[in-house]
Structures are given as structure tokens and as C-alpha cells.
């Protein structure tokens, strides 16, 4: 795990990295224009520098990182897979289940899961120490906010980053909203 400069979290836990984007596949990625993780990988920064440029943002599971939250004793706020969409269509069910198992084994922490595909989150039951969130950038994605109500989790959030334009979203299922430039 890494300490983070994201002011609302203490750590990022990137046990899964990489993404093919909403509706994307290995043969035809659908990259998101505003994705900071994709830009990070494209520049070959951090661990991404060790991969062939065309494969830097391919999804990967790092089993050696799986138990890292168990080693942190002080209660912390942990952003899960900040360099991926853990609930993308391309992510194997086994990866997600392993991450959720470790989440349940570390009740002293609060884990934050963020996706652009909330309908996939609804397939899982989250431990009480987890928050489920969706990323929304514009009005065309507001329909995803209703999907939050289908997720089996105690707390839900939405990340409007970047927020593009004036909006009036329906926030009835939202406990917390993050708004970015």
C-alpha cells in the first residue's frame, strides 16, 4: 500500500491495476479521456515503467499486495485500486472476491471502492467497513446514480471528477459526494 496525497484517504491499495474502460475489451480498449491512471501509465511512471508501452495499462492482479492492509494496525481510509476499475467487465470474479475477503479481515479500516460500472458492483455483498462509489463526469452518466441503490453496501458515494457542466443529479442513494475540477 502507498500513502497518498489524496486528502480524503490515507492509503491507496493497488492490488489490481489497469483498465479497458467502460465497454472495452483486451482487443478493443475504450479508454476514458479524463483518466489520470491511464495518463500515469502512458508516461511510464512508477511500476508502469517496467512494462512494454502498449501493455502498461493492461489489467493485472498483484497477489503479493493482497494482504498489505492486514499489516496496518492503525485505522485508516483506504482507496482500493485507484489505478484500475476493479468492477470492470474484464476483471475476473476471483480477483474481486479475494479483495473483498481481505477487506472483511481488516474491520479497523474503511475501504473505498470506485467504479464506472456500478451494475457489476451489485453482484457482490460488501463488508460493513466498505463504501461503494461511482465516478460520474456529466449528465449522460446520471442514470448510473440510480444503480447505487442496487449495491449491497452500508455507505455509498459519488465522485464528480472532473465535473463537466452544470448539473442537478438525483442524490437519494448518496451518503457522500466528492466534487473535482
Amino acid at each position: 500500500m502507498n500513502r497518498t496525497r489524496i486528502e480524503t484517504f490515507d492509503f491507496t491499495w493497488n492490488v489490481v491495476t489497469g483498465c479497458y474502460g467502460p465497454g472495452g475489451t483486451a482487443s478493443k480498449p475504450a479508454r476514458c479521456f479524463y483518466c489520470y491512471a491511464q495518463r500515469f501509465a502512458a508516461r511510464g511512471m512508477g511500476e508502469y515503467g517496467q512494462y512494454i508501452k502498449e501493455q502498461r495499462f493492461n489489467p493485472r492482479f498483484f497477489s503479493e499486495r493482497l494482504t498489505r492492509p492486514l499489516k496496518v494496525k492503525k485505522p485508516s481510509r483506504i482507496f482500493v485500486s485507484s489505478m484500475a476499475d476493479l468492477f470492470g467487465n474484464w476483471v475476473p470474479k476471483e480477483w474481486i472476491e479475494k479483495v473483498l475477503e481481505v477487506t472483511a479481515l481488516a474491520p479497523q479500516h474503511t475501504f473505498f471502492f470506485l467504479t464506472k460500472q456500478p451494475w457489476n458492483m451489485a453482484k457482490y455483498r460488501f463488508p460493513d467497513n466498505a463504501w461503494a462509489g461511482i465516478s460520474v463526469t456529466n449528465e449522460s452518466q446520471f442514470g448510473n446514480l440510480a444503480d447505487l441503490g442496487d449495491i449491497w453496501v452500508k455507505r455509498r458515494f459519488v465522485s464528480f471528477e472532473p465535473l463537466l457542466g452544470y448539473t442537478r443529479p438525483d442524490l437519494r442513494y448518496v451518503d457522500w459526494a466528492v466534487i473535482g475540477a
Side-chain angles (χ1 to χ4, degrees):
M1 289 195 326
N2 295 318
R3 285 229 169 255
T4 182
R5 288 184 286 188
I6 303 171
E7 58 194 37
T8 51
F9 306 108
D10 301 307
F11 294 97
T12 57
W13 178 37
N14 285 300
V15 67
V16 174
T17 64
C19 181
Y20 291 136
T25 64
S27 60
K28 189 173 180 174
R31 305 295 191 200
C32 300
F33 183 75
Y34 293 100
C35 180
Y36 70 89
Q38 179 185 340
R39 286 192 308 272
F40 196 80
R43 292 190 305 244
M45 297 177 70
E47 68 195 18
Y48 293 112
Q50 64 186 317
Y51 300 110
I52 299 168
K53 186 172 185 170
E54 294 76 29
Q55 298 173 357
R56 284 183 184 155
F57 208 49
N58 289 354
R60 291 182 172 79
F61 180 81
F62 294 91
S63 59
E64 69 275 10
R65 299 178 185 176
L66 189 59
T67 59
R68 287 184 179 172
L70 304 177
K71 296 175 179 146
V72 177
K73 301 304 176 198
K74 181 181 177 187
S76 301
R77 294 164 300 168
I78 301 171
F79 184 6
V80 181
S81 291
S82 66
M83 294 293 171
D85 187 338
L86 184 62
F87 296 92
N89 293 331
W90 58 88
V91 178
K93 181 180 179 181
E94 297 78 31
W95 293 6
I96 297 168
E97 289 172 345
K98 287 178 181 181
V99 170
L100 290 173
E101 285 172 18
V102 171
T103 300
L105 293 172
Q108 73 274 25
H109 302 313
T110 305
F111 293 84
F112 295 83
F113 295 84
L114 184 65
T115 187
K116 289 191 175 185
Q117 300 181 51
W119 49 90
N120 288 333
M121 272 186 165
K123 298 174 185 174
Y124 300 91
R125 182 178 294 273
F126 289 80
D128 288 347
N129 60 329
W131 285 58
I134 62 169
S135 180
V136 174
T137 58
N138 59 45
E139 235 172 318
S140 70
Q141 298 171 339
F142 285 171
N144 293 350
L145 287 169
D147 291 329
L148 274 175
D150 296 332
I151 300 170
W152 298 0
V153 68
K154 279 193 159 188
R155 299 277 186 238
R156 297 168 182 90
F157 70 103
V158 62
S159 174
F160 294 107
E161 292 190 87
L163 181 57
L164 305 174
Y166 176 77
T167 63
R168 287 189 175 209
D170 178 358
L171 299 175
R172 79 178 101 181
Y173 301 111
V174 176
D175 296 296
W176 179 45
V178 178
I179 301 172

